[in-house]
Amino acid sequence: MLHLDSTQVGFLALSAPEARVDQAGRAVVDKQTGLPLFRVQIALLHPNEPAGLVSVTVAGQPEGIAPATPVTLTRFTGRPWIGDQGNWGIAFRAETLAPLDGETRRRHSSPSSGAA
């Protein structure tokens, strides 16, 4: 598992949370918490790079997430995987996914010069 440094990245939800289900249509649950897993499409926004699009899974239904909602992620991780057919990818997870509140938005958008 790779712990990803997201301190220089902004996140924008592109979808509402969608429950993950198995092939039989049953809810997929987190093995550690027993909570249902939800997936949200996220745009990764960095000032010096093109936007990236990823699907992030979180245990428990995130509240207040709709398309175009700026969000914050905690414990953002990626786990590489290889499938039976030689296909591969990275599964992204976050411990929490929540809308940015006003104070968090100000901290992310204010210059770090320390001037008042």
Side-chain angles (χ1 to χ4, degrees):
M1 179 179 339
L2 306 169
H3 293 278
L4 305 173
D5 177 8
S6 59
T7 56
Q8 300 297 313
V9 179
F11 300 100
L12 183 69
L14 299 177
S15 69
E18 177 183 309
R20 294 204 39 209
V21 295
D22 64 15
Q23 292 179 344
R26 295 180 299 250
V28 177
V29 298
D30 183 76
K31 293 175 184 172
Q32 293 179 336
T33 66
L35 293 171
L37 294 176
F38 286 82
R39 180 179 299 140
V40 179
Q41 300 299 316
I42 301 285
L44 307 174
L45 307 170
H46 187 280
N48 301 321
E49 299 290 334
L53 305 175
V54 297
S55 179
V56 178
T57 298
V58 63
Q61 184 167 7
E63 297 294 325
I65 305 296
T69 302
V71 294
T72 183
L73 306 176
T74 59
R75 296 194 46 130
F76 185 42
T77 61
R79 183 182 304 264
W81 58 267
I82 298 175
D84 295 337
Q85 307 299 317
N87 51 334
W88 62 275
I90 299 174
F92 293 99
R93 292 278 307 249
E95 188 173 288
T96 63
L97 191 153
L100 277 177
D101 61 27
E103 180 60 28
T104 305
R105 284 185 197 184
R106 281 190 291 282
R107 281 196 308 267
H108 283 280
S109 63
S110 65
S112 57
S113 64

